Amino acid sequence: MSSSSSRLSSHPSRKPLLYAAGVALAAVTLGVVSWQATAPDGRPADGSGAAGASATAPPAPASDPVAGLKALARRDAGDKLAVGRPDAPVVLIEYSDFTCGYCGKFARDTEPGLVEKYVADGTLRIEWRNFPIFGAESEAAAKAAWAAGRQDRFTAFHEAAYAEGSKDKGFAEARLLELAREAGVPDLERFAKDLAGAEAAAALAKDREEGYRIGVTSTPSFLVNGRPLAGAQPTAAFTDAITRAKAEAEAAAGVRK
């Protein structure tokens, strides 16, 4: 196991997926190779990503796979699982699992500083992708986070779920309700209904299949304007990636002008 990421293990709900005819192999190849290259210990991940026809993200052109991965940013102003301006020059996409210890480390040690420094000044947008890979409780926590987001409490739920020691309490139904209360979700009855609904399952599937499609094999995994970054790396790795991405975005904007 990597020193700062949790590997994809046998997943009871994961079914073999066939590559869709229209999916560009370059996107998957870039994702796998780049995430392995940026992993702190440099070792390839166990398991493999998969691709499916139901993935909704646009395929990457073979000539420019980074641009294809960059296009995964949704920039939806109504996205309840995102923070930051939709038109921010840099978008960080995070593929994470609430039962992943390294995801919790990133959430506690690194993400708050990125929000304070870059989201606040309009440079950065962070888009969450539920990528549950460790079984039923992973999936339940993902759906609960989505349900909390329906009532504008995703950020608070995220913070509560990743608090020090929270993972050790598990994510059974009673615990998820406890986290919802802690996060200040106003309507717990609606929360429970949303958690168990088909819309939550569809949202989870959309995020997870996107990750499989581009070769995500461990959590946390990130895209910074389409460039993969693996694991809960030191803050400097993220600040360097954001600074570079911002400079590239500004240069591109200058060319367009």
Side-chain angles (χ1 to χ4, degrees), residues 63-89:
S63 60
D64 191 357
V66 170
L69 293 175
K70 183 178 179 180
L72 293 171
R74 295 170 186 168
R75 295 185 178 274
D76 179 0
D79 188 346
K80 302 289 189 178
L81 277 59
V83 295
R85 292 170 44 176
D87 62 348

Side-chain angles (χ1 to χ4, degrees), residues 47-223:
S48 62
S54 58
T56 59
S63 60
D64 191 357
V66 170
L69 293 175
K70 183 178 179 180
L72 293 171
R74 295 170 186 168
R75 295 185 178 274
D76 179 0
D79 188 346
K80 302 289 189 178
L81 277 59
V83 295
R85 292 170 44 176
D87 62 348
V90 183
V91 178
L92 183 153
I93 301 174
E94 176 183 358
Y95 299 88
S96 282
D97 184 320
F98 283 103
T99 69
C100 161
Y102 297 115
C103 300
K105 178 176 176 58
F106 171 78
R108 293 188 299 272
D109 297 349
T110 304
E111 190 170 22
L114 300 182
V115 170
E116 181 179 358
K117 183 174 183 179
Y118 297 111
V119 174
D121 73 359
T123 296
L124 180 67
R125 176 177 174 83
I126 300 175
E127 296 185 356
W128 172 271
R129 302 288 191 267
N130 275 308
F131 195 69
I133 58 176
F134 297 117
E137 288 202 356
S138 289
E139 293 193 359
K143 292 176 183 178
W146 181 90
R150 295 307 88 191
Q151 300 185 56
D152 298 315
R153 302 305 295 166
F154 170 77
T155 299
F157 185 94
H158 174 280
E159 183 177 345
Y162 277 137
E164 191 72 55
S166 181
K167 173 178 174 288
D168 299 332
K169 299 177 182 179
F171 294 102
E173 183 177 354
R175 174 61 179 156
L176 294 175
L177 286 171
E178 180 183 339
L179 287 170
R181 291 190 190 94
E182 187 176 338
V185 175
D187 187 340
L188 293 178
E189 184 175 344
R190 176 190 170 190
F191 168 82
K193 183 178 179 180
D194 285 345
L195 188 161
E199 195 174 353
L204 185 156
K206 177 182 178 181
D207 287 355
R208 186 161 57 190
E209 288 172 15
E210 177 183 295
Y212 285 157
R213 175 176 174 254
I214 63 173
V216 177
T217 57
S218 63
T219 54
S221 287
F222 307 89
L223 292 173

